[in-house]
Amino acid sequence: MKLDDYLVAPGEIARRKGPHDRIVMSSRVRLARNIRDGAFPGWAKKPERVRILETILPAVEALPELKGAFSESMDNLSTLDRQILVERHLISREHQARSAGSGVVLNRDETLSIMINEEDHLRMQALRPGLQLRQAWTAIDELDSHLEKQLTYAFDSNLGYLTACPTNLGTGIRVSAMLHLPGLVLAEQINAIIQSVNKLGLAVRGLYGEGTEALGNVFQVSNQMTLGESEATILERMEKVLAQIIEHEENARGTLVEKKAKMVYNHIGRAYGILANAHSISSKETMNLLSLMRLGVDLSLFPDAERALVDELFLLTQPAHLQKQHSDKLSAEERDLLRADMLRERLAKVARPTVRSKGTNGGGLDKADK
Amino acid sequence: MLCCVCKEKPATVHLTEIKNDKMQKVDLCEACAKAKGVNESSFALADLLLGLGASQEIEQSSGGVEVKCPKCGFSHADFKKAGRLGCPECYATFADGLESLLKTMHKGTRHAGKVPEALRSQRDFADRMKTLQKKLEKAIEDENFEQAAILRDEMKKLGGKLPSTTAK
């Protein structure tokens, strides 16, 4: 199968709406499952992994939720296609490195993704825009209930679903939300927030999960404990904590605009200046500056730009997505030039940020920063 | 990413340290890491993934004897190296060492979530039969044979194997 025939246009993904999508970029629920007969992928030899893939793949493809889905063995995907899937958060970096004996299945609108023989035989996830943890859970729970009729899962009445790593044991669930928190970063409150979230048994990670940086002020919050409490309890705790983080982020933004308006507008104005005028720009710098522009859109500084434009550029300027738009193989330096060209062109119609006078939304420019 | 000490070789060792609420990141190449006394191999991956002492926990519980999973041949030395288990059966093989490990990383050690439907109905059935059996024994004890007969019929209807009951 050709991945290009299936991928949803970045502009379309960016326009999807969800509750609190000003701060919560997406919600995701992932389940880890294994079949009873077979070693875990990390320990199974290649012939066994292939046998397991051949057992699981037809069962997954036959699911009603995955009618007409993209389904492929990892060794049939080019390096570029795999990188595209990582940039879209549809497969993990760990899965990206796998080849024969591993597979991936994606539904047409990219809201369900199934990795076969990643760390576990099955890693199934449902994605939703904005804060929609429950909807994501319902979707993946249903898919799982259909699949358990076709496969015999490794399950123990005391330990629950058995997983390769004991950290995922029990429910095998990971509930996570991708949060855009520029306010907390600018207000230097982010470390305190991360620490208190950690104390509640939740993990805070960077844009691409475990061991990655928080590029573009994007943080992933997820549960760590999977055994000893139900999926509903885990969801509930996540919802409570997320509601608090959202509130803190909104407060931080409000306080910044009120007390340190110059600092905030300076950051946003400079970010726009570079994005709209640069002739060479790295992907990392782009993400960090687009984050500030996104904040500017939220603060109504860009009346003619939508958040969707920023989100689309966030995806389109990443290395594999940029390469995909050009037929020649690009070096990193060439990508930096083409990235800058694209940004200048797309931002040409976006007027520079304007700060309205006191009293209106985002006002306070004349109130000097002490 | 280049090593932040020699600025020549690519960094392969990444350390993150939190000191006084400030996060500090150091990226080193292998040679510089060694020179600075950062030795990755001194940490078992199991310890990194699951917290310090994880691999020891498993090792001690076996009393120093090499335990191997009868199904997949995975040993605790492999667990120490990988931080992951070999197959579903390993959970039974290494049950003793895992118990205390699970206590430190999870809310509890008993599953409280979803159960596959096939097992759920099996379990429901077993529970139901157990309740009826208890009621039956009580009825017999109370010499309430009419009630006992009803309960026996009910159990028969459920299709379970009737346990032998002897009236006293």
Side-chain angles (χ1 to χ4, degrees), chain A residues 31 33-41 43-44 94 119 121 137 140-142 144-145 148-149 153-171 191-192 195 200 210 212-214 224-231 237, chain B residues 1 14 18-23 25 48-51 58 68-69 71-75 78-79 81-92 95 98-99 101-120 123:
Chain A
L31 297 178
R33 299 287 186 257
N34 289 278
I35 57 171
R36 198 183 53 199
D37 300 309
F40 296 131
W43 184 243
E94 189 172 338
E119 184 183 296
H121 294 149
W137 158 243
I140 206 66
D141 179 34
E142 255 170 44
D144 176 57
S145 297
E148 71 177 27
K149 294 196 171 69
Y153 284 156
F155 183 88
D156 177 273
S157 53
N158 283 323
L159 297 176
Y161 295 94
L162 303 176
T163 51
C165 187
T167 50
N168 295 312
L169 198 62
T171 51
N191 286 335
Q195 279 184 8
L200 294 165
E210 221 152 323
T212 63
E213 293 177 81
Q224 277 185 300
M225 293 181 275
T226 51
L227 181 66
E229 50 189 351
S230 69
E231 292 85 355
R237 179 174 323 111
Chain B
M1 188 188 295
H14 310 278
I18 296 176
K19 240 186 202 167
N20 306 326
D21 290 7
K22 286 241 167 72
M23 194 156 66
K25 283 190 189 171
L48 280 175
L49 287 167
L50 311 172
I58 300 278
K68 270 197 170 189
C69 176
K71 180 126 183 218
C72 73
F74 197 82
S75 70
D78 293 317
F79 180 73
K81 234 174 19 202
R84 284 164 192 146
L85 292 165
C87 75
E89 194 61 33
C90 287
Y91 278 97
L98 280 169
E99 172 85 21
L101 188 62
L102 293 177
K103 250 183 221 157
T104 62
M105 63 172 85
H106 290 296
K107 263 262 142 66
T109 55
R110 256 192 98 95
H111 179 53
K114 185 174 179 177
V115 175
E117 205 190 305
L119 296 175
R120 208 160 54 221
R123 212 163 62 172

Side-chain angles (χ1 to χ4, degrees), chain B residues 27-48:
Chain B
D27 306 286
L28 305 166
C29 70
E30 211 149 324
C32 292
K34 223 172 235 166
K36 295 259 168 209
V38 181
N39 186 0
E40 251 196 322
S41 62
S42 67
F43 285 96
L45 197 53
D47 290 335
L48 280 175

Side-chain angles (χ1 to χ4, degrees), chain A residues 95-122:
Chain A
H95 205 54
Q96 179 186 15
R98 298 197 174 245
S99 63
S102 292
V104 60
V105 182
L106 309 166
N107 72 340
R108 293 304 301 227
D109 56 7
E110 293 176 23
T111 54
L112 293 169
S113 121
I114 319 289
M115 289 182 270
I116 301 165
N117 282 338
E118 199 238 28
E119 184 183 296
D120 292 297
H121 294 149
L122 276 158

